[in-house]
Amino acid sequence: MAAELTLVDGERPGLSATRDWALEHLCRPITVQQLADHAGMPRRTFIRHFERETGLPPMRWVVRQRVLTTRRLLETSDWTVERIAAAAGFGTASTFRETFHRETGITPSAYRTSMQGLTAGSTAS
C-alpha cells in the first residue's frame, strides 16, 4: 500500500498540517470541503495541491488512511469489526468490509486470521 510521499530537502511542508488533522479525525465523516477549509484554500486549488503532494485525490487518501488504521487494529486488537469500523470512520461494518476487501483483496476476518498466523509463527521460532 502506497504511503505518503516524503518531502524533499527545502520543500515547504505544504498540506502536512491538514493531513495530520485528517488523521486525528478519521473516526468522523470528512469531506473535501472540510479539508480545503482547514488548509485555507478554495476547494479546487486544495485538490490540485493535495494531489501534487500525495499522488492521490483527497478522499482516496482518506480511504487509504482508514484502511491502514483498520489493518493495525485487526493486527493488534481483539475489537469487533463494528468497533473497528467506527474507530476508522467507516460508519458501518458493511461499508468497512466492502472497502477493506476492495482495497486489500481480502476480508477483514481473513486478514486478522492471516496476521494471527504470522504472529504465532514468529514467536514459535
Side-chain angles (χ1 to χ4, degrees), residues 82-125:
E82 290 78 11
R83 185 172 178 188
I84 291 173
F90 281 108
T92 68
S94 177
T95 300
F96 164 48
R97 285 184 184 101
E98 291 171 15
T99 304
F100 191 89
H101 187 266
R102 183 182 68 240
E103 295 292 317
T104 65
I106 189 170
T107 66
S109 298
Y111 182 81
R112 175 176 269 164
T113 300
S114 70
M115 290 297 107
Q116 289 170 344
L118 288 176
T119 303
S122 64
T123 58
S125 314

Side-chain angles (χ1 to χ4, degrees), residues 28-96:
R28 299 180 186 152
I30 297 173
T31 66
V32 173
Q33 189 60 55
Q34 287 174 313
L35 295 169
D37 290 347
H38 185 274
M41 294 180 178
R43 187 176 188 275
R44 289 178 62 175
T45 302
F46 169 77
I47 291 169
R48 192 171 53 254
H49 284 273
F50 194 94
E51 287 183 17
R52 189 177 314 133
E53 285 187 24
T54 66
L56 295 170
M59 294 315 295
R60 183 87 179 108
W61 181 88
V62 168
V63 168
R64 284 210 175 158
Q65 299 311 307
R66 286 182 167 148
V67 169
L68 287 171
T69 297
T70 60
R71 286 176 63 171
R72 284 190 290 273
L73 290 170
L74 288 166
E75 293 168 12
T76 62
S77 77
D78 60 355
W79 288 6
T80 64
V81 168
E82 290 78 11
R83 185 172 178 188
I84 291 173
F90 281 108
T92 68
S94 177
T95 300
F96 164 48

